[in-house]
């Protein structure tokens, strides 16, 4: 099972909406919701093929009104849309929020995700045991119904990757003492800002997060990442973005930022996609590799409909999910 940590934006939701049935069975997205987000509206417009989404409300504070509950309100809205919700427990959740998460879990699949950031939430195994015991008791859930996510967050350089790998090994040894439903390691290595990268040529950025997970070589440990975005969240940029694709390969991303061919975004996107399709890292299956690759191939043939920043994230995320799934369980 692959658990990408995504934002509730049109691009990411479009990628989930266009998953094929086989991929959808192997993906459980974790969606990070902020107070300004309107996840139900996006789900209504672009229902995810997964049928299940884990929702992290860690950035949404407890409202002053004790009768208002973000987890329960969202659980009801998603149930009405036919999408199952799995609440995400965080170490800093209030007792009130943990109770609400437990109730939301009972409204849907009787499951939850416990997302633990060892560099932030706990310092040693004793503290990890005390923290997770408190969280499970607060939500009224048993570990057998909870998926543990060990979130290493930003893996920004090789030195970080080595340190995080060792930290992950310590936490995994601790995790074996509890019968979790599953255990997954998450990390992210995409830089928060791509504006300083060169334009009009593909540039590589190392997928250190995937390399850490591969080096762990722990049987039964699941994989999670931050898709094609950074764990470091930035406020929206006010300038018009260049056509940009974040194209996933085994050990890196190929970043395409295109200013070529003048002012029309459609022309720039067409030139970008044509360059990508002609590159050595274009997959052997080409447009059949994912919905996103089909969209890129179509734009490589025509300058019409060059898309928007949401489209570029959607195509990139779609290809990324397909590539991760192929890596986790190669076929043929």
């Amino acid at each position: 099972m692959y658990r990408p940590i995504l934002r509730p934006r049109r691009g990411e939701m479009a990628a989930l909406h266009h998953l094929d049935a086989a991929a959808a069975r192997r993906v459980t997205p974790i969606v990070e919701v902020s107070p300004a987000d309107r996840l139900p509206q996006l789900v209504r417009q672009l229902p995810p093929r997964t049928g299940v989404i884990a929702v992290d409300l860690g950035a949404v504070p407890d409202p002053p009104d004790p009768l208002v509950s973000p987890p329960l309100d969202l659980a009801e809205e998603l149930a009405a849309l036919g999408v199952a919700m799995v609440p995400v427990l965080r170490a800093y959740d209030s007792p009130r929020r943990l109770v609400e998460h437990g109730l939301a879990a009972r409204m849907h699949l009787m499951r939850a995700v416990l997302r633990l950031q060892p560099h932030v939430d706990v310092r040693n195994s004793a503290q990890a045991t005390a923290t997770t015991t408190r969280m499970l008791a607060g939500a009224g859930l048993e570990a057998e119904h909870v998926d543990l996510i060990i979130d290493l967050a930003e893996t920004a350089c090789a030195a970080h990757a080595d340190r995080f790998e060792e930290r992950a090994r310590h936490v995994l040894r601790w995790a074996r003492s509890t019968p979790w439903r599953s255990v997954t390691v998450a990390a992210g290595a995409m830089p928060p800002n791509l504006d300083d990268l060169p334009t009009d040529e593909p540039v590589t950025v190392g997928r250190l997060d995937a390399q850490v997970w591969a080096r762990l070589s722990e049987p039964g440990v699941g994989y999670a990442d931050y898709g094609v975005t950074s764990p470091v969240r930035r406020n929206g940029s006010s300038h018009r973005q260049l056509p940009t694709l974040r194209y996933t390969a085994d050990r890196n991303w190929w970043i395409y930022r295109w200013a070529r061919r003048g002012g029309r975004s459609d022309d720039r996107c067409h030139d970008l996609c044509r360059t990508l399709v002609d590159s050595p890292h274009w997959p052997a299956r080409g447009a059949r590799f994912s919905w996103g690759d089909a969209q890129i191939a179509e734009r490589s043939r025509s300058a019409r409909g060059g898309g928007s920043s949401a489209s570029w994230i959607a195509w990139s995320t779609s290809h990324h999910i397909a590539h991760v799934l192929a890596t986790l369980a190669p076929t043929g």
Side-chain angles (χ1 to χ4, degrees):
M1 185 65 69
Y2 170 44
R3 294 179 170 85
I5 301 170
L6 304 175
R7 306 181 197 181
R9 301 182 300 188
R10 180 168 295 276
E12 285 86 340
M13 296 304 294
L16 296 176
H17 176 69
H18 288 98
L19 286 174
D20 62 52
R25 287 192 293 270
R26 300 177 56 204
V27 176
T28 300
I30 299 172
V31 181
E32 295 184 320
V33 176
S34 69
D37 291 325
R38 297 293 178 265
L39 180 59
Q41 287 86 330
L42 280 174
V43 169
R44 185 178 295 109
Q45 297 164 8
L46 295 164
R49 288 291 300 277
T50 59
V52 178
I53 56 175
V55 179
D56 190 330
L57 292 165
V60 179
D62 290 329
D65 188 345
L67 299 180
V68 176
S69 168
L72 295 178
D73 292 344
L74 188 54
E76 290 180 355
E77 291 183 274
L78 292 178
L81 295 172
V83 174
M85 170 178 155
V86 177
V88 177
L89 316 182
R90 301 301 297 266
Y92 51 79
D93 282 338
S94 67
R96 166 187 172 183
R97 178 62 57 88
L98 290 173
V99 169
E100 293 168 346
H101 283 326
L103 293 173
R106 290 171 179 80
M107 288 175 60
H108 285 266
L109 302 177
M110 192 59 191
R111 284 167 37 198
V113 168
L114 195 156
R115 184 176 173 188
L116 191 69
Q117 291 187 303
H119 56 297
V120 175
D121 301 329
V122 296
R123 296 180 181 176
N124 51 54
S125 58
Q127 191 174 6
T129 298
T131 298
T132 55
T133 299
R134 172 183 59 80
M135 296 166 68
L136 293 174
L141 296 171
E142 300 293 332
E144 292 89 341
H145 301 291
V146 175
D147 298 294
L148 175 66
I149 304 289
I150 301 168
D151 184 7
L152 304 178
E154 185 183 22
T155 309
C157 64
H160 283 182
D162 292 341
R163 186 167 68 251
F164 288 170
E165 179 184 349
E166 185 59 29
R167 180 179 292 156
R169 292 188 188 279
H170 285 300
V171 181
L172 286 171
R173 284 195 290 270
W174 161 81
R176 294 192 187 99
S177 65
T178 301
W180 303 103
R181 183 175 183 271
S182 69
V183 177
T184 297
V185 172
M190 180 67 73
N193 184 6
L194 303 179
D195 292 345
D196 295 331
L197 294 181
T199 62
D200 301 328
E201 61 179 279
V203 179
T204 58
V205 171
R207 292 182 63 209
L208 296 175
D209 46 2
Q211 294 174 36
V212 167
W213 184 85
R215 291 204 305 263
L216 287 172
S217 299
E218 291 279 350
V221 175
Y223 178 75
D225 60 21
Y226 286 76
V228 296
T229 61
S230 171
V232 180
R233 300 314 197 194
R234 299 175 63 212
N235 294 326
S237 176
S238 59
H239 66 276
R240 184 174 178 82
Q241 294 185 24
L242 294 176
T244 301
L245 289 180
R246 305 156 183 232
Y247 202 73
T248 305
D250 288 342
R251 297 182 61 84
N252 54 49
W253 288 285
W254 290 93
I255 308 299
Y256 286 73
R257 300 180 63 245
W258 235 243
R260 193 182 300 173
R261 295 192 60 177
R264 289 189 67 242
S265 178
D266 284 7
D267 288 336
R268 293 198 297 267
C269 185
H270 168 58
D271 198 60
L272 183 163
C273 292
R274 186 171 58 185
T275 304
L276 173 53
V277 167
D278 291 339
S279 73
H281 44 268
W282 181 247
R285 293 181 59 200
R288 294 175 298 159
F289 189 76
S290 72
W291 168 79
D293 288 288
Q295 299 302 305
I296 293 168
E298 180 178 340
R299 270 65 181 190
S300 75
R301 296 188 293 267
S302 172
R304 293 189 298 175
S308 62
S309 57
S311 303
W312 307 325
I313 285 290
W315 307 340
S316 299
T317 302
S318 174
H319 170 80
H320 178 82
I321 292 174
H323 185 93
V324 169
L325 292 178
T327 303
L328 293 178
T331 59

